[in-house]
Amino acid sequence: MFFFKTKKPKEETKPEISQENLDLQLITNLNQEFALSLDLNETLNTALKVIINRINAQAANIFLINEKINKFECIASLNQDHLNEYKLDLKDGVMAKAVEQKKCIRVGDVRKDVREIAEFYFDLDNKTNFTTYSVLCSPLIVSGECIGVIHCLNKKTGNKLFEENDRKLLETLSGPAALAIRNAKMAKDLVEKKQNTERNRNCW
């Protein structure tokens, strides 16, 4: 007498999703979230939270260029304190290089970098009670114009150092972030202009 074992149905294996596809999906989601809000603060906080989680950074901040005073102004920050108290010169540090070269800059290890970069971060660390090991800085470019930078500090790994693929990723993510920030800033400026006009009319 023969007994035949019934074959178990094969479990369907889900195809693995590549990291590139995951990042494309992240950018799509980011664009959708940005499209829903023209509130500048909300846009900035959303951008920083998404970027800091994907890059796996310890801290991140956004500096916009204030053309009236020719300085970088920190208008949003996560996990690094007191930056809103300082305005940085447009010629200083890795931020200046990112704007000048219009590409994302990586400082693999601040302590091993050129003297001017190291001194810039040691000085900033003293002011903010923070210790910088590694830096990513990507320009925010819209229609060929740089409006500021996204600045990530220290990867949350044992050596705290960013790698080249982190630089490429931040450069990709900064595109939709730049457009959203520009649009939100324009909306804010229009609201303020309208309020000032109405205020001036009421004064007559």
Side-chain angles (χ1 to χ4, degrees):
M1 202 172 192
F2 296 96
F3 295 93
F4 295 95
K5 292 182 179 178
T6 56
K7 290 183 178 179
K8 291 183 180 178
K10 287 184 179 179
E11 292 182 4
E12 289 186 12
T13 54
K14 293 182 180 179
E16 288 187 11
I17 303 173
S18 70
Q19 192 59 61
E20 283 185 8
N21 286 335
L22 285 173
D23 288 335
L24 285 173
Q25 185 60 50
L26 176 64
I27 292 167
T28 300
N29 293 340
L30 196 61
N31 281 325
Q32 289 171 348
E33 286 191 49
F34 287 153
L36 295 174
S37 174
L38 286 177
D39 181 275
L40 183 57
N41 290 332
E42 186 179 332
T43 299
L44 293 170
N45 288 328
T46 298
L48 280 184
K49 284 174 185 174
V50 169
I51 287 167
I52 202 172
N53 287 334
R54 179 60 190 92
I55 299 290
N56 197 26
Q58 184 181 348
N61 34 66
I62 293 174
F63 287 84
L64 292 188
I65 295 172
N66 186 327
E67 294 179 348
K68 292 179 182 177
I69 59 174
N70 244 17
K71 299 277 185 182
F72 286 113
E73 274 187 324
C74 182
I75 58 169
S77 183
L78 276 179
N79 305 334
Q80 189 178 20
D81 298 329
H82 312 301
L83 271 177
N84 59 333
E85 299 172 15
Y86 300 99
K87 292 177 175 61
L88 305 176
D89 197 285
L90 294 181
K91 296 179 181 179
D92 283 348
V94 70
M95 288 182 280
K97 288 192 173 185
V99 171
E100 181 186 353
Q101 297 178 21
K102 289 191 175 180
K103 69 176 186 178
C104 187
I105 303 290
R106 175 176 70 96
V107 181
D109 188 338
V110 168
R111 283 150 184 74
K112 293 180 180 178
D113 208 85
V114 292
R115 187 176 176 183
E116 62 189 48
I117 295 292
E119 284 187 354
F120 173 79
Y121 282 106
F122 292 155
D123 182 52
L124 198 61
D125 286 353
N126 287 333
K127 292 173 180 175
T128 59
N129 298 319
F130 190 87
T131 303
T132 302
Y133 294 93
S134 188
V135 178
L136 292 176
C137 187
S138 186
L140 294 165
I141 299 173
V142 185
S143 303
E145 179 191 0
C146 186
I147 61 171
V149 297
I150 293 179
H151 193 236
C152 293
L153 304 170
N154 303 347
K155 188 157 184 174
K156 287 196 284 188
T157 55
N159 63 12
K160 301 183 186 297
L161 305 183
F162 291 115
E163 298 175 357
E164 176 60 15
N165 57 349
D166 299 315
R167 186 197 69 78
K168 291 178 181 177
L169 178 58
L170 181 59
E171 193 163 60
T172 301
L173 293 177
S174 63
L179 183 59
I181 291 166
R182 197 276 305 268
N183 290 344
K185 189 173 184 301
M186 286 175 65
K188 182 184 178 185
D189 290 344
L190 282 173
V191 170
E192 289 178 353
K193 187 176 180 180
K194 185 178 179 181
Q195 288 174 343
N196 289 335
T197 302
E198 290 176 354
R199 198 177 295 117
N200 289 337
R201 282 177 183 169
N202 293 333
C203 290
W204 289 96

